[in-house]
Amino acid sequence: MKQKTHRLLSLLLCCVMLVGLLPTTAFAEDKTPITEFSGSISLPAPVYGETISDNRPTVSTAAPVRFFNHSWQKKKYSDVDAWNYVNSGVFTEGTWRYVLKVEPNNDNYVLDPSLAVTINGVQWKVKWDSTYHWFTIISPEFTVSAPTGGPLQFVAETNASIPDHQIGDTVNKDLTEYTAGGTPPYTYSKVSGPEWLSVSADGKITGTANEIQSSSTLKVMVTDANSESVTAAIPVGRVTLKPGDRIPITNISGNISLPAPVYGKNVRDNRPTVYTSDHVSFWNHYWQKKKYSDVDAWNYVNSGVFTEGTWRYIMKVSEDDNYVLTDPLTVTINGEPWKVVHDYQNNMFHIISPEFTVTAPPTLEGTATLSGAYYNSPVNPNTTGLPSTGLSYQWQRSNNGTGGWANISGATKRSYTPGEDDVGKYIRLVINADGY
């Protein structure tokens, strides 16, 4: 009984010692809470017509925190606390604010839900996102007003872009908030652009997408009471079919310049794509090497060189706008069928080439020596252990015998007779297995 107790105590002692050696990390209840911090920021008030991306600074603070996702927001409606993120274009009339996310910059701290933040001596609003467990700090609001008088301005080109739509979608956009200066009232007119979009005199873009179109431009002119005018080119996104109306693709054929992989060659130098007219795109081109000869398991290999084994080439394929790949899908490349794998979870297709077998070049085992060489006298190597057939020969010449070896033209037989060009030089024989 004493012996068993003694063993148990020894085991417990070992466990305590091991735990004592583990690195220390603060658990949630041991972290130091941050309930407040202060900092500074160089944040100029936004100005009508200035570029938004030029005004996205960060906060400087001595607190153990970091800031990320710096963004401007514009209020959707004057009487509702709803905001849109705006990170491109220029500032337009309305109410704006600046927001940043904040989190501790090391594992020994935690932000307290009652966090208070003071920037440039002014308290900023703090919002706690309980879903993603981060805090957002929000600046005081800024009011941006369009300038009165001065030259006519129309900033719709950088702010009023029309996104992608599907057949049947409608557009209703007000251009008046992008107009300033000059002498009101303003009159708007369409200069050019998609037929399905109209521009009313009071600055409303309306329309219903009714046909497939690629990205385009809508040019709109605004004219003030003094007949001064400015034109803006507003980007218009694509118009595509609704998912249920897209054209099915059941077969793909194409061609590829895909050399068979060669032992020792760089993998990255052999990653071409497929060319086809079948309204699809190919991406994520990779080589795979078989793990085991008797199991269909493969490793991705994207660097290094080809080594002995079984290889295949794989890529993802996706349909162009207005088309949809169907299952089953057949793919023929260079007249040969390629394997198709449908990844149902991620809703994508992989196409896989026929397999290639890569073998290492043969190794010659044996010795070859030259006993001496004389002008106009045949020289034959003394070989031991080399096969009598399946070999190729190349005689070479050098000035010093240590470098600068050059092939001797036509000297590709086992025997060589030195000539005048060889007098005072060094010669040697290179023996290779045929085909290598």
Side-chain angles (χ1 to χ4, degrees), residues 46-47 208 412:
V47 176
T208 300
T412 57

Side-chain angles (χ1 to χ4, degrees), residues 381-392:
N382 300 314
T383 58
T384 303
L386 294 178
S388 59
T389 60
L391 302 178
S392 63

